[in-house]
């Protein structure tokens, strides 16, 4: 890479984190070490770098001392990277000329057992951060234009509900359905818990609504053939009959749903004995029966439900729990009792998971006199046929593993959800990853649950994993809102941390394009030769292309050779920590001063200085409401400024005392 | 300063989304490991350049550990294969420079793998210390 202009006016801020760092790391020496590094003009210790007062001071320093880059050595970048990028922006420098150094999670806390060595390590980490920021480049967000349209793949309840939401928010929507009819599995369902509305009517009313909305175009018996382009400007080729349509969309929602688990031949007697059927088959039987429940010309007087069929297999393929099957089986049993008289029900289960509101169904089922028998995975029930009856042998865990024999007319295999058999077709076209369970994967199950690693491609409903109808619709609607947040603006901003090619060094061998999963690298003619060029909108910045380049002509912004090797140099430099320093570390510089802390903290601290107090006692003394005291005290506790010191006489309240605050300054 | 090499110096390459949060968690839970472990976080382990690894050894590091995403990698199912290739190439470079190929290690570290990370560091520290003799 070409020689870069190094930053020459760097500001370094070393955080005490109210003792979380300064109890173990000698922050004063860190400040002095940083001050002596090349290019550093400001080096300070701060009680809480994230505190509003410090952010203001940083802005003052940046502007007043004309800083061109900043380093904050505090907690993990997962917590405050964006906080300080924003500080940089507000102060008028580029947010990418900022480096966060993690001296808490990866230093003071991890090495609280060896404080002196923690200081040595912190010095290395801080120097690495200074080197990295010295080579950092100012980066601008990448702007791409966006089409105010979305493609929704799959017209089950999730896809239909999301399509309506997207249309109502002002998007043109193309709803693509593989089958002849819409509504997916739900369209085949009868009465549902809680509303008693049938699946058929839910699916029907959604279709009616879609027909009324002109901005939704529904394609049935259609399939997605090819997808090109990227966030903001996808081109989706859809085949309907003999025709191929080219649709333009800003984003894509995948709501392709699931397949019901199909038991193997002979699994609990399935397709071996005529009276063994799956749960979906049984639901259909209930819905289509008149006043008596008849199967194979036999009146059904007893039913055995076997749970977890094909699911929760410790050694098998489907390790997960399918979430919905316990509830569906128990709900089915309730429907049977409601519709037909005198049917005995046996539930052969491993664990019952009627979570949330669905628990009332389980309770009702027990009240109805249903019999629950528990089996273990390693000793599953055995189904056989004797004459006209099905006979099940089970070792019941609830009665000390007693072996029992049940005679029943019907065995219902409580089957769950598996990924669609054609799931690879869509993931292949869209390049969205699937997990070990083969369901499509989100970026983060808790924090980014409907986004995929492909910008602009979202997942909703049960294509992501087993979900009931409400959960499916929730996730699809959340994806719809995320999509609208992208398409509502004519331009979209993307993070600029992507691959860049050094055109002078590149000789186009094609190796980078070969490893790129996102088809983001193409040939370009430049300087009279063919070179590699990166599509800014599709590049994910993973860096896979960088090590394979024989000419070392590719790097990722923020991860250039100069930055990474500079960090290594920073770690490698010799660190001298003076001996007496360790002892002083805990108190920082002459104890913790309180000037940056809220007034309430100061009052609490002053009060606790005389003797430990409980929350009600503090509230009374300071004449503040106990909630306010609790909130502030808990925050102080989090920052290790106070600690609990035993319970009061009534065993109701903790006493609190000061921890690290040695000299309270009022 | 303690006597040189009393603790082998280890450079860890972690990943922003998966293994780095796992390493953070070790700190959060005060699970201790050698303080001579230094971490550089990258988007993906398949983006590590062998020249960086060689640079670390030349700058006095005793070992390099790649805390990879393995099959959890959200960028590509080929991540483990490509990361392996980087290790192989680095080992060739290391041999050329008289560095034992045992000084580089890899393991998948998940986002909650606090204990596994600490125990990998303890083991690797022990292995490197023995190599030194």
């Amino acid at each position: 890479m070409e020689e870069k202009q190094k930053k020459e006016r760097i500001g370094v801020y070393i955080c005490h984190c109210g003792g979380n760092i300064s109890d173990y790391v000698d922050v004063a020496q860190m400040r002095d070490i940083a001050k002596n590094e090349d290019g550093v003009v400001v080096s300070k210790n701060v009680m809480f770098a994230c505190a509003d007062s410090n952010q203001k001071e940083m802005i003052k320093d940046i502007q007043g001392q004309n800083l061109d880059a900043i380093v904050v050595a505090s907690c993990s970048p997962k917590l405050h990277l964006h906080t300080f990028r924003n500080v940089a922006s507000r102060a008028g420098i580029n947010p990418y000329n900022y480096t966060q150094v993690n001296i808490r999670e990866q230093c003071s806390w991890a090495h609280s057992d060896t404080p002196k060595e923690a200081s040595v390590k912190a010095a290395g980490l801080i120097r690495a951060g200074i080197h990295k920021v010295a080579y950092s480049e100012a980066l601008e967000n990448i702007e791409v234009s966006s089409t105010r349209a979305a493609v929704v793949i799959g017209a089950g309840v999730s896809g239909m509900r999301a399509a309506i939401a997207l249309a109502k928010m002002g998007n043109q929507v193309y709803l693509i359905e593989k089958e002849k009819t819409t509504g997916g599995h739900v369209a085949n369902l009868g009465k549902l818990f809680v509303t008693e509305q049938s699946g058929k009517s839910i699916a029907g009313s959604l279709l009616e609504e879609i027909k009324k909305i002109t901005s939704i175009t529904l394609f049935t018996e259609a399939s997605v053939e090819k997808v090109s382009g990227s966030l903001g400007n996808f081109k989706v080729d859809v085949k309907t009959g003999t025709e191929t349509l080219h649709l333009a969309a800003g984003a894509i929602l995948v709501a392709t749903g699931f397949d019901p688990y199909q038991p193997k031949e002979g699994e609990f007697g399935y397709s071996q004995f005529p009276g063994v059927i799956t749960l979906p088959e049984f639901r259909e039987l209930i819905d289509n029966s008149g006043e008596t429940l008849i199967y194979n010309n036999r009146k059904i007087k007893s039913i055995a439900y076997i749970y977890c069929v094909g699911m929760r297999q410790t050694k098998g393929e489907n390790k997960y729990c399918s979430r919905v099957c316990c509830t569906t089986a128990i709900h089915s049993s309730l429907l049977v009792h409601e519709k037909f008289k005198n049917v005995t029900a046996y539930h052969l289960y491993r664990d019952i998971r009627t979570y949330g509101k669905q628990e009332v169904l389980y309770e009702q089922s027990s009240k109805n006199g249903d019999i629950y028998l528990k089996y273990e995975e390693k000793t599953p029930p055995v189904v056989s046929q004797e004459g006209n009856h099905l006979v099940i042998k089970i070792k019941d865990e609830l009665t000390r593993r007693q072996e029992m024999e049940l005679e029943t007319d019907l065995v219902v295999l409580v089957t769950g959800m598996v990924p669609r058999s054609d799931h690879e077709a869509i993931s292949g076209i869209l390049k969205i990853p699937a997990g070990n369970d083969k369901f499509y994967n989100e970026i983060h199950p808790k924090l980014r649950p409907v986004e995929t690693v492909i910008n602009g491609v979202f997942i909703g409903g049960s294509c992501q994993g087993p979900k009931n109808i409400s959960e499916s619709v929730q996730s699809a609607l959340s994806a719809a809102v995320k999509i609208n947040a992208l398409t509502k603006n004519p331009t979209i901003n993307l993070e600029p941390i992507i691959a860049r090619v050094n055109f002078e060094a590149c000789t186009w061998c094609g190796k980078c394009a070969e490893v790129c999963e996102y088809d983001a690298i193409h040939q370009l003619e430049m300087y009279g030769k063919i070179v590699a060029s990166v599509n800014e909108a599709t590049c994910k910045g993973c860096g896979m292309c960088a090590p394979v380049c024989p000419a070392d002509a590719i790097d990722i912004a923020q991860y250039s050779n100069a930055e990474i090797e500079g960090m290594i140099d920073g770690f490698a430099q010799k660190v001298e920590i003076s001996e007496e320093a360790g002892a002083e570390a805990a108190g920082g510089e002459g104890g913790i001063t309180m000037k940056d802390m809220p007034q309430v903290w100061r009052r609490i601290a002053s009060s606790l200085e005389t003797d430990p107090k409980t929350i009600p006692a503090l509230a009374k003394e300071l004449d503040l409401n106990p909630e306010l005291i609790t909130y502030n005290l808990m925050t102080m506790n989090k920052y290790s400024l106070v600690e609990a010191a035993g319970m009061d006489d009534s065993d109701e309240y903790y006493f609190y005392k000061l921890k690290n605050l040695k000299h309270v300054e009022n | 300063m303690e006597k040189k090499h009393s603790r082998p110096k280890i450079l860890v390459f972690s990943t922003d989304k998966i293994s780095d949060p796992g390493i953070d968690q070790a700190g959060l839970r005060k699970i201790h490991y050698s303080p001579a472990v230094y971490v550089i976080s990258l988007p993906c382990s398949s983006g590590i350049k062998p020249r960086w690894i060689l640079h670390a050894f030349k700058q006095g590091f005793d070992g390099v550990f790649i805390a990879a995403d393995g099959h959890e990698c959200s960028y590509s199912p080929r991540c483990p294969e490509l990361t392996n290739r980087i290790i192989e190439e680095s080992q060739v470079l290391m041999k050329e420079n008289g560095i034992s190929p045992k000084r580089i290690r890899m393991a998948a570290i998940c986002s909650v793998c606090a204990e596994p990370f600490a125990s990998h560091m303890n083991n690797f520290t022990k292995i490197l210390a023995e190599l030194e003799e």
Side-chain angles (χ1 to χ4, degrees):
Chain A
M1 295 285 117
E2 67 267 43
E3 189 62 35
K4 286 180 219 156
Q5 184 68 43
K6 276 179 80 173
K7 297 291 167 200
E8 282 167 347
R9 300 195 62 78
I10 301 167
V12 182
Y13 298 84
I14 293 149
C15 183
H16 287 242
C17 195
N20 281 307
I21 294 168
S22 56
D23 277 358
Y24 313 104
V25 171
D26 187 330
V27 288
Q29 287 202 62
M30 294 305 114
R31 177 200 57 207
D32 298 338
I33 287 171
K35 196 168 255 168
N36 289 326
E37 286 296 299
D38 278 355
V40 175
V41 291
V42 172
S43 178
K44 287 182 174 174
N45 286 143
V46 286
M47 182 54 59
F48 291 105
C50 55
D52 210 33
S53 57
N54 179 59
Q55 292 189 31
K56 282 183 189 140
E57 196 167 317
M58 284 172 71
I59 294 174
K60 219 166 82 190
D61 288 348
I62 294 167
Q63 292 170 342
Q65 309 219 35
N66 204 18
L67 303 182
D68 57 6
I70 46 173
V71 172
V72 175
S74 58
C75 49
S76 167
K78 276 102 212 151
L79 295 169
H80 282 305
L81 179 74
H82 293 282
T83 310
F84 296 113
R85 271 193 190 159
N86 289 338
V87 169
S89 283
R90 292 207 300 277
I93 62 172
N94 189 283
Y96 294 95
N97 292 134
Y98 159 69
T99 294
Q100 171 105 16
V101 178
N102 182 350
I103 56 166
R104 193 178 71 177
E105 283 83 348
Q106 293 188 7
C107 190
S108 70
W109 280 348
H111 312 302
S112 55
D113 56 334
T114 49
K116 197 183 160 200
E117 287 174 281
S119 289
V120 174
K121 175 171 174 178
L125 296 173
I126 292 166
R127 278 176 172 156
I130 294 168
H131 289 202
K132 185 171 199 274
V133 94
Y135 288 108
S136 68
E137 292 165 65
L139 302 171
E140 297 303 330
N141 281 338
I142 296 158
E143 271 199 356
V144 295
S145 65
S146 179
T147 314
R148 190 125 173 78
V151 162
V152 178
I153 307 173
V157 278
S158 302
M160 289 203 280
R161 187 63 194 87
I164 293 167
L166 280 163
K168 287 193 172 166
M169 289 185 282
N171 295 280
Q172 176 67 45
V173 183
Y174 304 105
L175 181 55
I176 322 285
E177 172 55 48
K178 198 175 186 182
E179 306 294 330
K180 210 171 194 167
T181 54
T182 58
H185 297 291
V186 174
N188 302 324
L189 297 176
K191 228 191 240 183
L192 300 171
F193 182 68
V194 188
T195 57
E196 307 257 295
Q197 205 180 349
S198 75
K200 201 174 171 180
S201 87
I202 289 178
S205 64
L206 285 171
L207 181 62
E208 283 313 305
E209 202 174 344
I210 283 173
K211 283 181 180 163
K212 284 184 210 144
I213 303 173
T214 51
S215 54
I216 302 179
T217 317
L218 170 66
F219 302 96
T220 51
E221 291 183 276
S223 59
V224 176
E225 295 291 298
K226 195 182 148 198
V227 175
S228 58
S230 51
L231 171 64
N233 298 287
F234 286 107
K235 302 269 173 292
V236 182
D237 291 358
V238 173
K239 200 171 164 196
T240 62
T242 51
E243 203 183 357
T244 300
L245 301 164
H246 306 284
L247 307 173
I252 297 170
L253 172 58
V254 180
T256 47
F258 68 96
D259 276 345
Y261 174 76
Q262 202 51 35
K264 294 178 184 73
E265 205 185 312
E267 190 171 357
F268 297 106
Y270 188 73
S271 67
Q272 191 179 0
F273 311 123
V276 181
I277 61 176
T278 65
L279 187 56
E281 289 162 355
F282 182 56
R283 295 289 293 209
E284 232 170 283
L285 179 69
I286 301 173
D287 294 336
N288 297 335
S289 296
E291 277 178 19
T292 42
L293 187 60
I294 293 173
Y295 186 76
N296 255 359
N297 301 320
R298 262 174 71 92
K299 191 172 173 219
I300 305 298
K301 281 174 278 174
S302 61
I303 303 168
Y305 300 87
I306 301 179
Y307 285 63
C308 296
V309 174
M311 301 292 125
R312 301 175 66 205
Q313 303 165 317
T314 320
K315 294 208 174 86
E317 206 175 329
N318 308 321
K319 303 215 179 316
Y320 55 90
C321 160
S322 232
R323 286 175 78 80
V324 297
C325 6
C326 284
T327 304
T328 314
I330 293 173
H331 184 241
S332 306
S333 180
L334 295 185
L335 287 178
V336 167
H337 292 309
E338 196 183 293
K339 206 167 164 180
F340 317 105
K341 296 283 166 282
N342 301 323
V343 179
T344 311
Y346 303 101
H347 299 265
L348 282 49
Y349 72 101
R350 280 172 61 194
D351 293 287
I352 291 292
R353 293 175 177 176
T354 46
Y355 56 96
K357 286 179 189 166
Q358 301 160 153
E359 183 70 5
V360 298
L361 296 175
Y362 183 31
E363 202 188 323
Q364 186 56 48
S365 156
S366 307
K367 278 185 190 157
N368 283 351
D370 282 9
I371 296 156
Y372 282 82
L373 302 160
K374 184 173 162 71
Y375 74 90
E376 280 213 337
E377 190 190 7
K378 43 181 198 293
T379 49
V382 178
V383 182
S384 59
Q385 183 149 25
E386 279 173 28
N388 269 337
H389 286 284
L390 289 162
V391 174
I392 305 175
K393 281 195 182 125
I394 175 174
K395 273 187 186 162
D396 178 30
E397 296 293 318
L398 303 179
T399 50
R400 296 184 169 196
R401 323 196 71 229
Q402 240 184 71
E403 199 162 85
M404 300 192 184
E405 263 190 31
L406 311 169
E407 248 187 41
T408 66
D409 301 322
L410 196 66
V411 170
V412 176
L413 303 184
V414 179
T415 48
M417 298 175 165
V418 291
R420 284 183 63 104
S421 57
D422 57 359
H423 71 98
E424 277 176 345
I426 291 292
S427 63
I429 291 170
L430 288 167
K431 304 197 163 57
I432 51 175
N436 285 337
D437 56 12
K438 310 270 172 47
F439 284 105
Y440 300 142
N441 250 5
E442 65 288 314
I443 293 185
H444 190 289
K446 293 182 179 65
L447 304 176
R448 298 174 76 180
V450 295
E451 293 160 84
T452 69
V453 288
I454 307 296
N455 274 338
V457 178
F458 295 80
I459 46 179
S462 54
C463 66
Q464 188 182 14
K467 289 190 178 73
N468 67 24
I469 300 170
S470 352
E471 290 156 354
S472 294
V473 172
Q474 278 164 26
S475 78
L477 281 176
S478 119
V481 174
K482 293 294 287 181
I483 289 174
N484 188 60
L486 287 173
T487 58
K488 74 181 192 329
N489 298 317
T491 55
I492 299 169
N493 275 322
L494 302 177
E495 242 203 4
I497 300 175
I498 56 161
R500 297 99 42 100
V501 177
N502 177 347
F503 297 127
E504 282 174 46
C506 175
T507 54
W508 181 264
C509 61
K511 285 194 172 141
C512 50
E514 204 179 287
V515 294
C516 181
E517 285 283 323
Y518 307 100
D519 206 14
I521 301 180
H522 293 103
Q523 287 186 358
L524 178 80
E525 204 176 321
M526 195 174 261
Y527 300 127
K529 62 172 183 177
I530 301 288
V531 292
S533 151
V534 176
N535 179 343
E536 294 186 332
T538 42
C539 176
K540 311 297 299 175
C542 61
M544 266 172 208
C545 51
V548 300
C549 178
D552 200 7
I554 296 197
D555 67 14
I556 305 297
Q558 299 253 295
Y559 302 96
S560 65
N561 291 334
E563 282 158 291
I564 301 294
E565 289 172 2
M567 286 180 82
I568 294 169
D569 296 345
F571 295 149
Q573 262 171 279
K574 200 168 159 48
V575 180
E576 301 282 359
I577 298 285
S578 65
E579 279 304 329
E580 74 275 23
E584 204 216 340
E589 297 149 279
I592 291 168
T593 62
M594 298 281 293
K595 72 174 191 305
D596 290 332
M597 294 187 194
Q599 181 70 26
V600 182
W601 291 20
R602 274 187 256 177
R603 293 181 59 197
I604 292 174
S606 303
S607 170
L608 293 181
E609 206 175 21
T610 46
D611 50 64
K613 289 187 181 71
T614 61
I615 290 173
L618 275 168
K620 205 171 162 197
E621 187 180 311
L622 303 177
D623 195 23
L624 290 168
N625 79 44
E627 284 76 34
L628 191 73
I629 297 284
T630 309
Y631 171 78
N632 282 285
L633 202 59
M634 289 307 112
T635 317
M636 291 172 79
N637 183 44
K638 184 178 139 200
Y639 287 122
S640 304
L641 300 173
V642 296
E643 65 186 347
M647 304 286 278
D648 68 355
D649 293 339
S650 64
D651 253 10
E652 264 184 75
Y653 296 102
Y654 276 107
F655 280 108
Y656 285 89
K657 64 173 187 185
L658 292 182
K659 195 177 174 192
N660 291 308
L661 289 159
K662 296 197 180 71
H663 311 281
V664 179
E665 293 175 4
N666 266 306
Chain B
M1 291 286 289
E2 269 87 352
K3 140 178 135 242
K4 202 177 174 258
H5 291 317
S6 65
R7 283 192 201 271
K9 215 164 164 174
I10 299 170
L11 178 64
V12 175
F13 284 105
S14 67
T15 64
D16 293 340
K17 290 196 192 91
I18 298 179
S19 64
D20 207 55
I23 299 171
D24 275 357
Q25 196 164 92
L28 192 69
R29 294 173 47 198
K30 308 241 165 110
I31 300 172
H32 303 303
Y33 51 91
S34 160
V37 169
Y38 296 79
V39 181
I40 293 180
S41 182
L42 302 170
C44 176
S45 57
S46 63
I48 302 167
K49 290 188 185 177
R51 66 174 267 182
W52 300 342
I53 292 171
L54 191 66
H55 187 80
F57 286 116
K58 287 190 169 167
Q59 288 289 2
F61 273 93
D62 300 298
V64 170
F65 183 87
I66 297 177
D69 295 349
H71 292 281
E72 268 189 68
C73 175
S74 61
Y75 291 110
S76 165
R78 287 182 67 198
C79 176
E81 171 204 332
L82 291 169
T83 307
N84 259 327
R85 205 193 287 172
I86 290 162
I87 292 182
E88 281 164 21
E89 278 174 31
S90 303
Q91 286 177 326
V92 172
L93 279 179
M94 286 159 69
K95 274 186 210 158
E96 282 169 14
N97 285 274
I99 301 159
S100 162
K102 288 182 187 159
R103 291 185 181 275
I104 185 163
R105 290 204 138 201
M106 172 172 72
I109 300 291
C110 73
S111 59
V112 290
C113 286
E115 278 111 353
F117 174 75
S119 77
H120 276 297
M121 287 305 104
N122 293 339
N123 282 339
F124 196 25
T125 299
K126 210 186 283 169
I127 289 166
L128 291 170
E130 280 160 14
L131 269 179
E132 231 112 51
E133 281 154 18

